[in-house]
C-alpha cells in the first residue's frame, strides 16, 4: 500500500480568525496567513526575504475546532489543497488563491503546548487506542 500524501502549508495566522457560515450552511473558518521566506547564501547563512500573505479556509467540524484553538500569531502546519476563488473587493471581483485545509495543527517546532490525551467525547472506540504510557517501548539497537 502506498503512502498517502497531500499538499501542505505552514505559516502563521496573520489576522484574527473568523468563523462564519458558508452559503451551504456549513461552518467556515477564514484567516489570512503569512509565510516567511529565506534564501540560503553561499556562506551558509540565510537572508530573510519578503513575507507573503495568503487566504486560509476550512469547513465543517474542522473549521469549528480551528476557530476554538487558533488565534492571530499562532504558527501552524496544515494539509489540504490550493484552489482559485473569486470574491468582491471595493466593488469589483478579485480572483485569488486560497489554501483549503482539511487538517491543521500548531507547529511543534515553534509552539510550546501540552497534549491532552484523555479520550474525546466523540471518539468512536477509544478503548482500541492505548495511551503512550501503555504502549510497549521500542526496541533499542546498540551502536
Amino acid at each position: 500500500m502506498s503512502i498517502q500524501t497531500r499538499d501542505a502549508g505552514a505559516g502563521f495566522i496573520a489576522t484574527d480568525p473568523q468563523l462564519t457560515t458558508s452559503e451551504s450552511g456549513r461552518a467556515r473558518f477564514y484567516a489570512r496567513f503569512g509565510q516567511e521566506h529565506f534564501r540560503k547564501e553561499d556562506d551558509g547563512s540565510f537572508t530573510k526575504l519578503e513575507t507573503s500573505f495568503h487566504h486560509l479556509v476550512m469547513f465543517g467540524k474542522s473549521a469549528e475546532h480551528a476557530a476554538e484553538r487558533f488565534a492571530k500569531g499562532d504558527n501552524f502546519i496544515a494539509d489540504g489543497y490550493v484552489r482559485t476563488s473569486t470574491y468582491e473587493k471595493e466593488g469589483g471581483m478579485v480572483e485569488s488563491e486560497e489554501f483549503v485545509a482539511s487538517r491543521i495543527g500548531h507547529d511543534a517546532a515553534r509552539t510550546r503546548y501540552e497534549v491532552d490525551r484523555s479520550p474525546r467525547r466523540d471518539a468512536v472506540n477509544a478503548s482500541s487506542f492505548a495511551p503512550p504510557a501503555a504502549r510497549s517501548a521500542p526496541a533499542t539497537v546498540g551502536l
Side-chain angles (χ1 to χ4, degrees), residues 76-136:
F76 72 90
I77 298 173
D79 77 349
Y81 60 94
V82 176
R83 74 174 180 188
T84 302
S85 68
T86 305
Y87 62 95
E88 187 177 339
K89 181 177 180 181
E90 298 173 2
M93 296 306 286
V94 176
E95 189 174 285
S96 72
E97 289 185 329
E98 63 185 8
F99 187 79
V100 182
S102 57
R103 288 185 262 190
I104 190 169
H106 288 92
D107 185 345
R110 297 176 175 231
T111 306
R112 289 178 297 150
Y113 62 93
E114 293 181 25
V115 176
D116 178 0
R117 290 191 173 87
S118 60
R120 291 176 58 148
R121 287 176 292 170
D122 59 350
V124 175
N125 186 359
S127 64
S128 65
F129 298 99
R135 295 181 192 146
S136 60

